[in-house]
Amino acid sequence: MALKRVLTLRTVIATSAGLTLASSSFVAAVQVASFLAGDAAWLAILTAGFLCLGAACCFSELNARLPSAAGIRLYFSRAFNDRLALTISLLYMTVVMGVVGAESYVLAFVLNAAFPAVPPLAWILVMFMVVTAMNIRGVKIAGTFQELITYGLMGSLLVLGFIALSKVDFHLTGPFATGGLPAFISAVAVGVFLFVGFEWVTPLAEEVTHSRQVSRGMLLAVGLLSVVYALFTVAMTATTPRQALVASPAPQVVFARNVLGPAGVIWMVILSLAASITTFNAGLISVSRFVYASAREYVLPPVFSRLSMRFFTPWVAILTVFATGVIISLVVLVTHRYLVLVNLAAAIEAIVYALAGVAVIRLRQKDRRTGGIFVPVITALVFAGLAVAVMLTDLYVLPCLVAGFAIMWWYVYRVVPVLKSRYQPRRLSRRRPVAGTAEAGCEKS
């Protein structure tokens, strides 16, 4: 049974942008600004966006060659080897789900500012359950919802940014004051988090009306996000004391209260809730399809490949992602280690983008195809350097990455062979033609 091809370019853009538009993105945006001397966050964010466009070009070429729900799992398998591809893909999928934990923590503080009597966890559970129910009923419903929320959110952020800047007559303090090259590199490295996950739209390649829509959607999403993030971050730092922003887990609420008072808080609560919904909705769509594709290949237990006979959606994979998101959210709410997840996501993102550049070069060599190597080479080198910069910025990142890689490597070497040996023979036996049937006769002829 195959997934339905129902997604349009608008939905692809909304899904790609929606996974990156999160409440935790405002925390990362303030981190970017904290590295710089003046109101130069826009410069670091646009630079990060420009570099991500190079990565998007690499993913576009990979998607054009290998359009599949397996996404980076298939790209890296063809370019390198299957075990390395599985290890990186599973680790990346886990980290992307970890972003939900950071997201839930920030959302808890946002909602607590407006509704102190309601437990934040209740809001998180309601959001998860609503989005999960929508995804089980069909990706087209989820896609339409994604469009409304994502485009409305980006428009609202632009409007709020212009309102804030108008209060200071669009005057910026040191718009080009980066504070030196090391500070600027650190700011760009963390700025990569703002775009984390835009390429997770590639698992939807089997559900779009044309595979090129995935490539176009990624490029357009990164471009739109660069403008929105740059304007809104500069608006925050230009109108609100930077110390107050850095000290708060929900800097967007501090900013909104400073600019518009109680009305601003209500507006920002609505925007933050919408941002969190788009993050989990887009993540649920993409990650669940990755789980579904992995289960089809017996990388994960085949139960995750089950489809709803009514809605043609991978309901087991969707429910699994839902449960994982809730567990991670509870852990972060207890430990308060949300910034580690932000930096961890930025680091693994940079590593994956660097590998995407190398994968493009390797696949061209294998297929004996020619093409300009400037973009993939620069993408590989720059993002490798940015990954190192993030690890130096947060000393928890490297141990977490090493531990995660070791666990995934063990799973790939020990568990995956067992799954394949147990279930692949069964599939082959079911497909083997029975002697004396028309199918067997066709095979002999």
Side-chain angles (χ1 to χ4, degrees), residues 11-169:
T11 306
V12 173
I13 296 172
T15 303
S16 182
L19 187 55
T20 72
L21 271 172
S23 296
S24 53
S25 296
F26 302 120
V27 177
V30 171
Q31 273 194 296
V32 171
S34 67
F35 286 108
L36 306 173
D39 293 326
W42 67 273
L43 188 58
I45 291 172
L46 290 181
T47 301
F50 179 77
L51 295 175
C52 286
L53 280 176
C57 289
C58 293
F59 279 107
S60 296
E61 180 172 337
L62 294 171
N63 178 73
R65 288 171 179 261
L66 304 165
S68 169
I72 62 172
R73 152 86 173 84
L74 181 60
Y75 308 154
F76 293 168
S77 177
R78 295 289 180 86
F80 308 113
N81 61 71
D82 194 53
R83 286 179 171 175
L84 177 61
L86 280 176
T87 302
I88 295 296
S89 300
L90 292 172
L91 177 60
Y92 191 31
M93 182 179 65
T94 304
V95 172
V96 169
M97 288 307 303
V99 174
V100 176
E103 181 69 12
S104 66
Y105 183 87
V106 175
L107 181 63
F109 277 85
V110 171
L111 294 176
N112 186 61
F115 308 99
V118 180
L121 183 59
W123 290 102
I124 295 170
L125 291 175
V126 168
M127 176 188 70
F128 283 175
M129 288 188 290
V130 169
V131 175
T132 300
M134 285 173 26
N135 274 268
I136 289 178
R137 287 186 59 84
V139 70
K140 184 173 178 58
I141 297 176
T144 302
F145 179 80
Q146 190 74 28
E147 290 179 33
L148 294 174
I149 295 296
T150 302
Y151 295 131
L153 178 59
M154 287 193 290
S156 295
L157 292 176
L158 290 174
V159 170
L160 186 56
F162 276 112
I163 292 175
L165 290 175
S166 67
K167 291 183 175 293
V168 294
D169 296 324

Side-chain angles (χ1 to χ4, degrees), residues 200-213:
W200 271 89
V201 74
T202 54
L204 301 183
E206 297 182 17
E207 300 177 60
V208 295
T209 54
H210 197 290
S211 61
R212 291 182 181 177
Q213 291 177 340

Side-chain angles (χ1 to χ4, degrees), residues 23-351:
S23 296
S24 53
S25 296
F26 302 120
V27 177
V30 171
Q31 273 194 296
V32 171
S34 67
F35 286 108
L36 306 173
D39 293 326
W42 67 273
L43 188 58
I45 291 172
L46 290 181
T47 301
F50 179 77
L51 295 175
C52 286
L53 280 176
C57 289
C58 293
F59 279 107
S60 296
E61 180 172 337
L62 294 171
N63 178 73
R65 288 171 179 261
L66 304 165
S68 169
I72 62 172
R73 152 86 173 84
L74 181 60
Y75 308 154
F76 293 168
S77 177
R78 295 289 180 86
F80 308 113
N81 61 71
D82 194 53
R83 286 179 171 175
L84 177 61
L86 280 176
T87 302
I88 295 296
S89 300
L90 292 172
L91 177 60
Y92 191 31
M93 182 179 65
T94 304
V95 172
V96 169
M97 288 307 303
V99 174
V100 176
E103 181 69 12
S104 66
Y105 183 87
V106 175
L107 181 63
F109 277 85
V110 171
L111 294 176
N112 186 61
F115 308 99
V118 180
L121 183 59
W123 290 102
I124 295 170
L125 291 175
V126 168
M127 176 188 70
F128 283 175
M129 288 188 290
V130 169
V131 175
T132 300
M134 285 173 26
N135 274 268
I136 289 178
R137 287 186 59 84
V139 70
K140 184 173 178 58
I141 297 176
T144 302
F145 179 80
Q146 190 74 28
E147 290 179 33
L148 294 174
I149 295 296
T150 302
Y151 295 131
L153 178 59
M154 287 193 290
S156 295
L157 292 176
L158 290 174
V159 170
L160 186 56
F162 276 112
I163 292 175
L165 290 175
S166 67
K167 291 183 175 293
V168 294
D169 296 324
F170 294 90
H171 174 73
L172 302 180
T173 302
F176 297 97
T178 61
L181 184 60
F184 184 72
I185 292 176
S186 297
V188 172
V190 176
V192 171
F193 175 83
L194 298 174
F195 305 91
V196 63
F198 75 84
E199 78 289 350
W200 271 89
V201 74
T202 54
L204 301 183
E206 297 182 17
E207 300 177 60
V208 295
T209 54
H210 197 290
S211 61
R212 291 182 181 177
Q213 291 177 340
V214 174
S215 301
R216 296 171 183 170
M218 284 190 295
L219 294 171
L220 291 172
V222 171
L224 288 172
L225 289 171
S226 298
V227 175
V228 172
Y229 282 139
L231 176 68
F232 190 78
T233 305
V234 168
M236 282 197 296
T237 58
T239 58
T240 307
R242 193 169 302 184
Q243 295 79 4
L245 294 173
V246 174
S248 174
Q252 68 271 32
V253 175
V254 177
F255 159 69
R257 180 183 287 113
N258 183 59
V259 174
L260 296 176
V265 174
I266 295 175
W267 189 357
M268 188 52 64
V269 167
I270 295 174
L271 292 183
S272 297
L273 187 58
S276 296
I277 290 176
T278 60
T279 297
F280 189 68
N281 187 50
L284 189 56
I285 291 174
S286 299
V287 178
S288 64
R289 269 57 182 185
F290 179 87
V291 172
Y292 161 79
S294 298
R296 286 190 310 186
E297 300 175 3
Y298 305 115
V299 171
L300 296 174
V303 65
F304 295 114
S305 65
R306 291 183 179 178
L307 292 178
S308 167
M309 297 297 294
R310 181 178 180 184
F311 302 113
F312 298 98
T313 53
W315 65 275
V316 176
I318 291 172
L319 290 179
T320 301
V321 175
F322 161 77
T324 304
V326 171
I327 293 172
I328 295 175
S329 299
L330 290 173
V331 171
V332 177
L333 285 173
V334 172
T335 62
H336 309 291
R337 294 287 185 181
Y338 68 102
L339 285 179
V340 175
L341 292 175
V342 170
N343 293 324
L344 184 62
I348 191 66
E349 184 86 348
I351 292 172

